Amino acid sequence: MPLTPLRSIAVDRGEIPLGSPVWIVAKHPLTGAPIRRLVLAQDTGGAIKGPARADLFWGWGEEAAEAAGRMKETATLYVLEPAAP
């Protein structure tokens, strides 16, 4: 499945199931503006280990590369799950 810039994240799939919707709260690494958005866990990464780790896919090009390279921001992740019956 193709990744969507600023809507796809890589996760530790042992902690967050692939396909899960996740609400993220963080700051933009270049502007400091708030990031509050719904994303999907669509990828994995070797360096992403643990329950509260994710890597936001910024897209392509110089600006995306710069933002991704500087993103070391502490974020809050809310994994959305269906309510129990």
Side-chain angles (χ1 to χ4, degrees):
M1 172 175 290
L3 300 178
T4 304
L6 300 174
R7 294 293 178 183
S8 298
I9 59 172
V11 297
D12 178 343
R13 69 176 163 197
E15 300 291 340
I16 299 174
L18 288 178
S20 295
V22 179
W23 182 258
I24 61 170
V25 177
K27 283 192 268 181
H28 193 287
L30 302 179
T31 66
I35 297 173
R36 304 215 180 345
R37 63 181 49 233
L38 185 65
V39 298
L40 290 176
Q42 294 182 304
D43 198 8
T44 60
I48 303 166
K49 301 289 184 210
R53 304 269 310 175
D55 186 11
L56 180 62
F57 176 62
W58 288 88
W60 306 271
E62 290 181 31
E63 187 176 333
E66 185 176 358
R70 290 190 186 189
M71 186 69 176
K72 307 270 189 273
E73 185 66 39
T74 299
T76 303
L77 305 174
Y78 299 93
V79 180
L80 305 178
E81 299 177 348

